[in-house]
């Protein structure tokens, strides 16, 4: 059963993650295929392209066919900052300098008049667009250009970003995409002139295409791009902060810290590329500061993701590789602060090569983890592979080897989801372990509680047994002391008398035979009384110590009453006394018969002691009544006489042994003084109660009660 419980959740998690894997793979392909966000794919097959500085849009309707990218051959004037007026009447030098260049694209590596261009410099671009659409209001989308530019349309200056200059000191860089509204006013040709200068970056020119379309179409394109970029940035930052928060709550989860740091770094970098979203929130951010932040995020992001992979698979990723990546990232990050623009931008190609090496090494490590069936290795391979592929695409794009790029943010988002599944699987496993441990702890606690209850019950039983033993020992000790006290007290006087009688016989004080016979009878009577006293003492001591055996049996109350109905009548008649037996049943007629649990012989002894005690104190011709009363709960037996009665001050003590007051019935007329004490112990043993009532001169009533029982119990 245990193995089955473990297999089912893993299978469910696998299917769950596999479904999400398929879903996000499709989403990534759609995002990349549609070119959403900052990624700008090349022109579609058959789309309009400029040739020799002229773009013809014959039959194109912007409301139907959408926006147009001004791609193709633009006129290009290297190291010329020409205005539209100067281009209307170009000089011979201007005509000689005129060439064509493919846009979008950097001018780096192009050859002009036998000179291979670098990143620093300035130039003028020009294109003429033949518009066939009768609409009068159009818009022009100009993306970020490195690193300053001016735009004229039909001779009118529409925008200036940064400061155009011919050297590093005179130019001011700035990144800003703009939407420029155009009033075509019936003109069929748009003459677009673009001045660009760059002295602060290793790459110069126009990386992304300029677009022309209706005002609504251009705004939709801008809003769509911003929406996707904000989605990417927000997802990365929220995911990063979430995992950093997890680390803050549980410091052992260092993988969550590295992954959260990586997401935050890439999220910040994503806000500084493409549409440069961060500039919408931080308008005073300088171009150089923003570029430094972008590079530092790139430099630190590589060791961060490598540390995260090592936290997942420490046996596959070597510590030396992580240390090397940390050292290189720190070195390049510090160098960015010490080198001015554009020099620190030249670090990027070197670090891109380091990144490619790091990505290859990371994929090898994850591949080893997959081969060794490490937890989450499948998702790590897919996520890391997608992100590394997107990074390679961006590297190729920024180096102008391909025309499709800036997709690393989308690849990272997919990788983040895959990595989140890995962390979620670890968390789920930890939660399952916690639940298992909690269940085991609950079961253990329940078992312990049950054992504690059992042990407590055993200890309570032992304690009760010890208490009972202590009570028995105390009772036996008390009985022993009473016995010794009674023997020493109540045997002393008879023994003294016997001694006196014997000495009188020995000394010859009594010489007459009849007198000697009388003395011998007295001695015999005293010895007989002593024997009876000693027997009663031992019986009472055994009763008090609960050492006397009782034959307790259930007996119907009616049988109990019939048993004593005629038992004492003849004996009392012989003593010259009248005897009456009366019974009253106070239970409902339809109720069950009454039962008691008694030892008949012991109860007979109780009644005998009580009745003969009454006989000794009732004058001849007196009346003794035996009364039985049965109610719903008990059977009460009363012995009533019309003798001399008992003084009120003696009533509380008549059941005590050897109560020596002269008026007491306990010792009168030769009794041992123990009969009522013995009767009390027997009744107590039966769970009943005994008591006495009397008025002097009006007789006495001694009664005891026995509880009714269920014979089935």
């Amino acid at each position: 059963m245990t193995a089955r419980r473990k297999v089912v959740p893993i299978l469910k998690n696998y299917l769950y993650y596999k479904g999400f894997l398929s879903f996000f793979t499709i989403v990534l392909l759609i995002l990349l295929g549609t070119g959403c966000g900052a990624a700008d794919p090349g022109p579609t097959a058959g789309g309009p392209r400029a040739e020799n500085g002229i773009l013809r849009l014959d039959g194109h309707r912007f409301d139907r066919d959408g926006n147009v990218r001004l791609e193709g051959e633009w006129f290009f004037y290297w190291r010329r900052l020409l205005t539209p007026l100067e281009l209307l009447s170009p000089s011979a030098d201007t005509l000689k300098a005129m060439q064509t260049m493919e846009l979008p694209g950097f001018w780096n590596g192009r050859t002009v008049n036998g000179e291979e261009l670098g990143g620093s410099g300035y130039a003028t671009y020009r294109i003429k667009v033949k518009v066939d659409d009768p609409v009068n209001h159009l818009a022009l989308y100009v993306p970020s250009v490195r690193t300053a530019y001016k735009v004229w349309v039909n001779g009118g200056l529409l925008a200036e970003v940064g400061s155009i200059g011919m050297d590093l000191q005179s130019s001011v860089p700035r990144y800003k995409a703009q939407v420029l509204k155009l009033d075509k006013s019936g003109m069929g040709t748009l003459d677009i002139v673009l001045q660009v200068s760059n002295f602060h970056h290793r790459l110069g020119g126009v990386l992304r295409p300029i677009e022309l379309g209706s005002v609504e179409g251009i705004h939709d394109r801008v809003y769509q791009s911003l929406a996707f970029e904000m989605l990417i940035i927000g997802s990365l930052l929220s995911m990063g902060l979430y995992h950093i928060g997890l680390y803050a709550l549980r410091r052992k989860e260092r993988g969550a810290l590295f992954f959260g740091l990586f997401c935050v770094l890439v999220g910040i970098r994503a806000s500084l590329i493409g549409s440069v979203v961060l500039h919408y929130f931080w308008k005073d951010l300088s171009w150089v500061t923003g570029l430094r932040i972008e590079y530092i995020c790139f430099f630190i992001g590589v060791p961060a993701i490598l540390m995260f992979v090592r936290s997942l698979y420490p046996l596959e990723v070597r510590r030396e590789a992580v240390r090397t990546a940390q050292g290189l990232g720190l070195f390049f990050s510090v160098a960015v602060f010490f080198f001015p623009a554009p020099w620190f931008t030249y670090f990027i190609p070197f670090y891109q090569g380091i990144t490619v090496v790091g990505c290859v090494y990371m994929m090898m490590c994850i591949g080893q983890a997959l081969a060794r069936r490490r937890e989450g290795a499948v998702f790590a391979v897919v996520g890391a592979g997608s992100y590394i592929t997107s990074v390679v695409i961006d590297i190729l794009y920024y180096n102008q080897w391909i025309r499709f790029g800036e997709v690393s943010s989308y690849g990272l988002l997919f990788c983040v989801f895959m990595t989140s599944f890995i962390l979620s699987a670890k968390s789920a496993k930890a939660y399952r372990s916690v639940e298992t441990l909690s269940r085991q702890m609950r079961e253990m606690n329940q078992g312990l509680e049950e054992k504690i209850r059992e042990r407590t019950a055993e200890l309570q039983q032992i304690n009760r047994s010890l208490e009972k033993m202590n009570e028995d020992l105390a009772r036996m000790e008390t009985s022993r002391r009473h016995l010794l006290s009674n023997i020493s007290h109540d045997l002393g006087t008879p023994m003294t008398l016997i001694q006196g009688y014997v000495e009188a016989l020995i000394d010859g004080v009594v010489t007459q035979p009849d007198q000697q016979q009388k003395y011998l009878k007295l001695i015999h009577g005293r010895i007989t009384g002593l024997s009876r006293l000693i027997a009663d003492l031992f019986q009472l001591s055994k009763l008090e110590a609960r050492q006397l055996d009782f034959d307790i049996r259930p007996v119907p109350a009616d049988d109990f009453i019939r048993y004593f109905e005629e038992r004492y009548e003849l004996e009392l008649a012989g003593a010259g006394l009248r005897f009456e037996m009366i019974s009253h049943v106070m239970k409902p007629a339809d109720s069950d018969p009454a039962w008691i649990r008694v030892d008949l012989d012991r109860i007979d002894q109780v009644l005998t002691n009580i009745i003969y005690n009454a006989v000794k104190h009732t004058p001849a011709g007196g009346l003794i009544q035996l009364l039985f009363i049965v109610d719903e709960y008990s059977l009460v037996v009363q012995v009533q006489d019309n003798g001399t009665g008992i003084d009120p001050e003696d009533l509380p003590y008549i059941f005590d042994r050897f109560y020596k007051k002269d008026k007491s019935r306990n010792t009168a007329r030769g009794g041992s003084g123990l009969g009522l004490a013995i009767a009390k112990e027997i009744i107590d043993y039966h769970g009943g109660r005994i008591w006495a009532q009397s008025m002097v001169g009006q007789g006495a009533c001694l009664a005891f009660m026995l509880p009714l029982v269920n014979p089935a119990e």
Side-chain angles (χ1 to χ4, degrees):
M1 293 298 291
T2 304
R4 189 175 182 181
R5 289 178 182 172
K6 292 184 178 179
V7 170
V8 172
I10 293 176
L11 179 59
K12 289 184 178 179
N13 287 336
Y14 172 76
L15 297 175
Y16 175 76
Y17 293 144
K18 185 176 180 181
F20 269 104
L21 176 62
S22 303
F23 172 74
F24 283 110
T25 302
I26 295 173
V27 171
L28 179 65
L29 293 176
I30 293 175
L31 292 176
L32 298 181
T34 56
C36 58
D40 296 308
T44 57
R49 287 183 56 81
E51 296 180 1
N52 199 24
I54 298 176
L55 178 62
R56 300 182 182 276
L57 300 179
D58 298 334
H60 186 89
R61 296 294 181 267
F62 292 105
D63 57 351
R64 181 190 64 197
D65 302 323
N67 303 333
V68 175
R69 294 180 176 181
L70 305 185
E71 298 177 327
E73 297 177 346
W74 286 52
F75 290 119
F76 180 70
Y77 304 87
W78 178 244
R79 290 183 179 174
R80 296 285 193 279
L81 295 177
L82 304 175
T83 64
L85 185 59
E86 292 173 330
L87 291 172
L88 288 177
S89 301
S91 62
D93 291 339
T94 300
L95 292 175
K96 184 179 178 180
M98 183 179 69
Q99 295 190 12
T100 59
M101 181 174 289
E102 285 284 337
L103 284 188
F106 296 122
W107 60 54
N108 297 63
R110 306 296 176 88
T111 302
V112 176
N113 297 327
E115 175 189 359
E116 185 175 349
L117 305 184
S120 298
Y122 52 93
T124 301
Y125 297 88
R126 184 185 185 190
I127 189 174
K128 292 183 178 180
V129 183
K130 302 293 185 178
V131 181
D132 191 29
D133 197 327
V135 65
N136 290 326
H137 298 287
L138 298 176
L140 192 69
Y141 172 69
V142 183
S144 299
V145 177
R146 290 178 180 168
T147 53
Y149 68 91
K150 286 183 180 180
V151 179
W152 286 268
V153 177
N154 292 338
L157 179 62
L158 296 184
E160 179 178 3
V161 176
S163 296
I164 298 291
M166 296 183 179
D167 53 31
L168 181 64
Q169 290 73 27
S170 61
S171 63
V172 177
R174 189 182 180 191
Y175 278 168
K176 184 179 180 181
Q178 293 199 89
V179 176
L180 309 176
K181 294 183 180 180
L182 309 178
D183 187 4
K184 188 165 71 69
S185 301
M187 293 181 291
T189 301
L190 299 177
D191 187 2
I192 302 174
V193 178
L194 176 66
Q195 290 183 357
V196 178
S197 69
N198 174 55
F199 293 95
H200 295 81
H201 199 278
R202 68 182 182 89
L203 299 175
V206 183
L207 177 62
R208 301 175 186 85
I210 299 173
E211 296 185 24
L212 177 67
S214 63
V215 176
E216 182 180 356
I218 291 296
H219 279 297
D220 289 343
R221 180 252 185 270
V222 172
Y223 295 151
Q224 182 184 22
S225 176
L226 287 175
F228 275 104
E229 290 188 29
M230 290 296 293
L231 173 64
I232 297 296
I233 295 168
S235 299
L236 292 174
L237 292 179
S238 60
M239 189 69 70
L241 295 176
Y242 169 75
H243 285 91
I244 292 175
L246 287 181
Y247 172 75
L249 295 176
R250 192 170 187 268
R251 296 302 178 89
K252 292 183 179 181
E253 295 291 340
R254 301 185 65 185
L257 173 64
F258 300 144
F259 182 69
L261 178 62
F262 176 70
C263 290
V264 170
L265 291 173
V266 180
I268 295 175
R269 182 177 180 272
S271 67
L272 292 167
I273 61 175
S275 300
V276 195
V277 174
L278 187 60
H279 282 281
Y280 288 93
F281 301 94
W282 191 358
K283 296 184 180 298
D284 296 332
L285 179 65
S286 68
W287 180 88
V288 175
T289 302
L291 191 63
R292 283 196 169 104
I293 295 174
E294 175 194 343
Y295 283 10
I296 290 173
C297 291
F298 176 45
F299 295 152
I300 299 178
V302 174
I305 190 63
L306 197 58
M307 288 188 291
F308 169 67
V309 175
R310 174 172 168 76
S311 69
L312 293 178
Y313 311 112
L315 299 179
E316 285 73 25
V317 181
R318 297 178 61 86
R319 185 185 300 273
E320 294 78 7
V322 176
R323 297 298 186 193
T324 302
Q326 291 173 341
L328 291 173
L330 180 62
F331 172 77
F332 280 97
S333 299
V334 173
V336 167
F337 285 101
F338 286 96
F339 286 84
W343 301 111
F344 68 80
T345 64
Y346 289 94
F347 299 159
I348 290 296
F350 298 100
Y351 203 77
Q352 287 175 343
I354 295 172
T355 301
V356 172
V357 174
C359 291
V360 172
Y361 174 74
M362 188 163 53
M363 285 302 298
M364 291 174 57
C365 295
I366 298 177
Q368 289 181 353
L370 180 61
R372 295 171 181 173
R373 299 180 181 276
R374 304 294 190 197
E375 183 181 3
V378 174
F379 304 107
V381 167
V382 175
S386 302
Y387 180 59
I388 291 172
T389 302
S390 64
V391 169
V392 173
I393 291 174
D394 277 2
I395 292 174
L396 298 176
Y397 174 68
Y398 287 128
N399 289 278
Q400 302 187 75
W401 295 333
I402 61 175
R403 303 190 60 179
F404 173 76
E406 291 192 345
V407 295
S408 60
S409 298
Y410 302 101
L412 175 63
L413 183 61
F414 181 77
C415 180
V416 165
F417 280 111
M418 293 297 100
T419 308
S420 299
F421 295 154
I422 298 175
L423 296 177
S424 298
K426 292 181 65 177
S427 299
K429 183 178 179 180
Y431 291 148
R432 287 196 298 271
S433 299
V434 170
E435 290 175 353
T436 301
L437 291 175
S438 299
R439 184 176 63 255
Q440 293 175 351
M441 288 296 294
R442 286 195 300 270
E443 294 174 355
M444 186 179 297
N445 290 336
Q446 292 175 356
L448 288 175
E449 291 175 357
E450 185 64 27
K451 290 181 179 179
I452 290 173
R453 284 195 293 268
E454 293 177 358
R455 292 296 299 163
T456 302
E458 293 177 0
L459 291 174
Q460 290 175 347
Q461 181 64 31
I462 293 173
N463 188 43
R464 286 193 293 269
S465 299
L466 290 175
E467 290 178 353
K468 186 176 184 301
M469 291 175 62
N470 290 333
E471 291 176 358
D472 293 341
L473 290 174
R475 187 181 299 109
M476 292 174 65
E477 177 63 20
T478 302
S479 177
R480 184 186 65 82
R481 289 197 305 268
H482 286 174
L483 179 61
L484 293 176
S485 174
N486 294 336
I487 289 174
S488 63
H489 183 274
D490 289 282
L491 296 185
T493 300
M495 294 297 292
T496 300
L497 292 175
I498 292 173
Q499 182 181 1
Y501 293 150
V502 173
E503 288 176 352
L505 291 174
I506 293 174
D507 293 339
V509 175
V510 179
T511 59
Q512 297 296 326
D514 56 341
Q515 290 292 328
Q516 291 178 349
Q517 188 67 26
K518 180 180 179 181
Y519 270 69
L520 290 174
K521 289 182 179 179
L522 289 174
I523 292 172
H524 181 268
R526 293 296 180 181
I527 292 174
T528 302
L530 286 175
S531 298
R532 186 170 58 253
L533 176 62
I534 291 171
D536 289 345
L537 281 172
F538 274 106
Q539 184 181 30
L540 181 59
S541 298
K542 287 184 177 181
L543 284 170
E544 290 176 341
R546 296 295 188 264
Q547 293 181 338
L548 201 63
D549 294 333
F550 281 74
D551 185 14
I552 302 293
R553 296 180 182 180
V555 177
D558 294 340
D559 293 350
F560 179 82
I561 295 172
R562 283 194 294 270
Y563 180 81
F564 293 102
E565 187 173 3
E566 299 178 354
R567 185 170 181 78
Y568 304 105
E569 184 176 1
L570 294 177
E571 295 180 8
L572 295 181
L577 299 175
R578 292 176 295 144
F579 176 75
E580 291 182 359
M581 200 282 292
I582 304 172
S583 64
H584 295 289
V585 178
M586 303 174 65
K587 294 181 62 177
D590 57 348
S591 62
D592 295 333
W595 288 70
I596 55 175
R597 294 178 64 86
V598 295
D599 184 337
L600 282 176
D601 293 337
R602 299 297 178 186
I603 297 299
D604 181 36
Q605 183 180 358
V606 170
L607 270 176
T608 300
N609 288 344
I610 294 175
I611 289 175
Y612 280 102
N613 184 278
V615 169
K616 288 185 288 186
H617 296 277
T618 303
L623 175 65
I624 295 178
Q625 290 181 330
L626 178 59
L627 178 64
F628 294 92
I629 303 174
V630 180
D631 58 19
E632 294 184 4
Y633 305 102
S634 62
L635 183 148
V636 178
V637 181
Q638 294 182 355
V639 178
Q640 176 74 47
D641 65 66
N642 57 359
T644 58
I646 306 172
D647 289 338
E649 62 267 21
D650 294 331
L651 278 176
Y653 309 107
I654 65 170
F655 295 103
D656 293 346
R657 63 173 70 194
F658 302 115
Y659 181 63
K660 292 301 181 180
K661 192 166 185 180
D662 292 340
K663 293 177 291 182
S664 172
R665 291 186 163 205
N666 243 340
T667 59
R669 300 187 182 179
S672 67
L674 298 176
L676 295 183
I678 292 173
K680 180 179 184 302
E681 290 296 329
I682 293 175
I683 295 301
D684 288 345
Y685 190 92
H686 281 78
R689 184 171 64 89
I690 191 169
W691 68 93
Q693 298 174 338
S694 176
M695 293 185 65
V696 178
Q698 297 182 9
C701 176
L702 273 69
F704 62 87
M705 178 273 296
L706 297 174
L708 300 185
V709 298
N710 185 353
E713 295 180 355

